[in-house]
């Protein structure tokens, strides 16, 4: 599986993922088994229908759709991990290329956690008003200075 990332904005990324047919084959076999258990064909026990008969009865397209629906989430998660992306929302997935006995190619646009660096905060001072005193006096008497230090 190959994947590429295009950064659309600091919080949006576009993943382009290519899945070769060899990696799609196990999902295709699982789709045939799943459909074989769901259909009833005279002359065959439920779940024992051969793939050629399934293709004739329901069509190869239904089997391919089932296989794509199985492999797409797995490939998406694998591409996210491969590219060190943290998604914040559900992706917008579009299948760009898919043909029988050929690979699957899809794009996924997703909001991602932005990358940023924290500035140094050594030496920054903040004044905090003391809220524990029952009467309020002038700010100079009821404030305290807190210094920040690096962990």
């Amino acid at each position: 599986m190959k994947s590429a990332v295009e950064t659309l904005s600091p919080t949006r990324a576009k993943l382009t993922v290519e899945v070769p047919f060899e990696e799609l084959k196990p999902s295709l076999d699982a789709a045939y088994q799943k459909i074989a258990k769901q259909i009833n064909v005279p002359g065959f026990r439920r779940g024992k229908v051969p793939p050629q008969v399934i293709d004739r009865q329901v069509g190869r397209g239904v089997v391919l759709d089932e296989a794509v629906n199985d492999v797409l989430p797995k490939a998406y998660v694998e591409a996210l991990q491969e590219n060190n992306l943290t998604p914040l929302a559900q992706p917008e997935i579009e299948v760009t290329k898919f043909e029988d006995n050929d690979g699957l190619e899809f794009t996924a646009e997703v909001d991602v956690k932005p990358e940023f660096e924290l500035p140094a905060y050594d030496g920054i001072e903040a004044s905090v008003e003391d809220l524990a005193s029952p009467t309020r006096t002038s700010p100079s008497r009821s404030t305290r200075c807190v210094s920040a230090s690096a962990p």
Side-chain angles (χ1 to χ4, degrees):
M1 182 182 82
K2 294 191 313 185
S3 64
V5 178
E6 178 185 343
T7 304
L8 303 176
S9 74
T11 60
R12 190 117 175 119
K14 181 178 182 180
L15 277 167
T16 303
V17 182
E18 293 179 26
V19 181
F21 190 74
E22 295 80 36
E23 292 182 26
L24 205 67
K25 189 83 171 107
S27 294
L28 194 63
D29 295 339
Y32 273 118
Q33 289 177 354
K34 182 178 179 182
I35 292 173
K37 290 178 183 176
Q38 293 174 350
I39 64 172
N40 190 12
V41 178
F44 296 97
R45 290 180 291 157
R46 188 175 295 271
K48 303 294 183 184
V49 182
Q52 299 82 5
V53 176
I54 293 174
D55 286 344
R56 250 194 338 249
Q57 290 284 17
V58 296
R60 176 91 168 160
V62 173
V63 178
L64 292 174
D65 285 344
E66 186 71 33
V68 168
N69 288 338
D70 180 49
V71 79
L72 204 117
K74 296 173 188 173
Y76 168 70
V77 169
E78 189 177 324
L80 284 175
Q81 292 172 349
E82 184 178 300
N83 293 297
N84 297 324
L85 295 175
T86 306
L88 298 177
Q90 292 294 322
E92 297 171 14
I93 295 179
E94 179 183 350
V95 175
T96 55
K97 184 181 102 175
F98 180 60
E99 295 174 15
D100 196 7
N101 295 325
D102 198 9
L104 165 70
E105 185 177 309
F106 67 91
T107 60
E109 284 191 27
V110 66
D111 292 325
V112 294
K113 191 164 94 173
E115 298 278 332
F116 60 90
E117 291 185 27
L118 288 175
Y121 53 88
D122 291 340
I124 296 177
E125 292 186 5
S127 61
V128 179
E129 190 174 316
D130 190 9
L131 297 177
S133 63
T135 59
R136 295 219 168 174
T137 58
S138 67
S140 62
R141 294 170 71 196
S142 66
T143 59
R144 58 189 163 105
C145 188
V146 178
S147 173
S149 62

